[in-house]
Amino acid sequence: VKIVLDYDKCSGNGICESIAPEYYHVADDGDLVLLKEQVSDQDIGAIRRTVAECPTGALTLAPQ
Ligand code: SF4
């Protein structure tokens, strides 16, 4: 699967980065940068957590 980020919904609070810093990075200007889109099998649990815990619903998963 791949991560889909809705930039309009993201508030840049960095919760996703705290869970999976190899995928998400909040830049100095507050914009979230998606470091990787494609989710490896070993990371899917952590990425599902970021989707569930994002308070603004900015993250979804899509088939690749
Ligand atoms: S947890 Fe959601 S709102 Fe917060 S930085 Fe990540 S995508 Fe944006």
Side-chain angles (χ1 to χ4, degrees):
V1 298
K2 68 174 183 178
I3 302 166
V4 179
L5 167 64
D6 184 336
Y7 288 91
D8 290 337
K9 287 185 180 173
C10 176
S11 67
N13 57 39
I15 292 172
C16 53
E17 181 180 12
S18 72
I19 296 170
E22 62 276 48
Y23 284 84
Y24 308 99
H25 174 68
V26 179
D28 291 341
D29 60 6
D31 283 348
L32 181 65
V33 179
L34 209 48
L35 303 175
K36 285 193 268 187
E37 259 194 344
Q38 303 294 334
V39 182
S40 66
D41 289 347
Q42 66 179 16
D43 293 338
I44 189 66
I47 298 305
R48 287 197 194 285
R49 263 183 65 209
T50 66
V51 172
E53 295 192 19
C54 171
T56 66
L59 298 174
T60 51
L61 296 178
Q64 50 195 353

